[in-house]
Structure formats: structure tokens, C-alpha cells
Amino acid sequence: ELKKLVRNYSFSDTGITVCDNFEIEGNPTFTERIVSYKEPTITDGVIDYGKVKVTFDKNLASASYSKEVHATVLNTDGTLKNGVDVYLVSIDVKEPKDSFTFEIEIK
């Protein structure tokens, strides 16, 4: 059970850092999710979208992605147009504790 979540952002000349501070109870799983239209590559704690890179502590978490098709556009008659591919990146915290901090950097 989530008891408390505080999300902080910090900005620099090179990017953005997102820091989540959690207090939890029990034995939960924890996943950060990033959604994009561009297919990433994931190597050694770096999610690479080309010009944009997301980094995280590979000792605390592991990342994977899946591709799904989502209809995001309507035809003129109001029906759904063929969908577009989106990539769902999951960053799974390996062993969440009662209180922990998870940080990602976007550059």
C-alpha cells in the first residue's frame, strides 16, 4: 500500500531530473512507465530515443519495453482511424523497501 509519494523535478542546462520519494507498506512491486512514439534501445541503465536519453540506476531497477497499437485519431465520421504504434517502457524497481527514492534523468 502506498502511504506517501513525493515527486520532485529539477532542471539544468542539460536536462530534467525526476525524483520520486516513496513510503510503502507490505511487499509491493513498483514500475515507472514512459510512453513514446519512437522505439527506444535499452542498454546498461540508458533508455535511448536518439536525441533524448533517459538514465536510471541499473543496480536498483531494470527496464524493458513493449509495442502496442493505439487508435488516437478519429475519421471525419467519428469512427476510430487505424492506430499508431506506441512504445511502453517499463522501469521495474528490483526490491522496493518501506521507504526509497527512485530517480531518472532526461537529457
Side-chain angles (χ1 to χ4, degrees), residues 7 14 21 26 39 43 46 48 51 53 58-59 67 73-74 81-83:
R7 175 169 275 179
T14 59
N21 296 293
E39 184 173 14
T43 309
V46 177
D48 189 341
K51 291 182 179 180
K53 295 183 182 18
K58 66 181 179 175
N59 295 314
K67 180 172 76 170
V73 181
L74 294 177
K81 203 176 230 185
N82 287 336

Side-chain angles (χ1 to χ4, degrees), residues 53-101:
K53 295 183 182 18
V54 178
T55 60
F56 61 94
D57 185 343
K58 66 181 179 175
N59 295 314
L60 297 178
S62 61
S64 62
Y65 74 89
S66 61
K67 180 172 76 170
E68 294 185 12
V69 177
H70 290 266
T72 57
V73 181
L74 294 177
N75 292 312
T76 54
D77 65 357
T79 59
L80 291 175
K81 203 176 230 185
N82 287 336
V84 295
D85 292 342
V86 293
Y87 296 89
L88 308 175
V89 174
S90 297
I91 306 171
D92 299 308
V93 174
K94 293 178 181 176
E95 295 180 31
K97 308 283 189 246
D98 290 342
S99 179
F100 68 97
T101 299

Side-chain angles (χ1 to χ4, degrees), residues 1-6 21-26 28 98-99:
E1 179 180 315
L2 179 64
K3 294 168 63 176
K4 184 177 182 180
L5 166 61
V6 177
N21 296 293
F22 291 88
E23 288 183 25
I24 55 178
E25 195 172 278
D98 290 342
S99 179

Side-chain angles (χ1 to χ4, degrees), residues 26-63:
N27 190 16
T29 60
F30 171 75
T31 301
E32 291 275 7
R33 177 72 49 91
I34 301 171
V35 180
S36 72
Y37 291 115
K38 184 165 176 57
E39 184 173 14
T41 58
I42 301 173
T43 309
D44 208 27
V46 177
I47 304 164
D48 189 341
Y49 292 98
K51 291 182 179 180
V52 175
K53 295 183 182 18
V54 178
T55 60
F56 61 94
D57 185 343
K58 66 181 179 175
N59 295 314
L60 297 178
S62 61

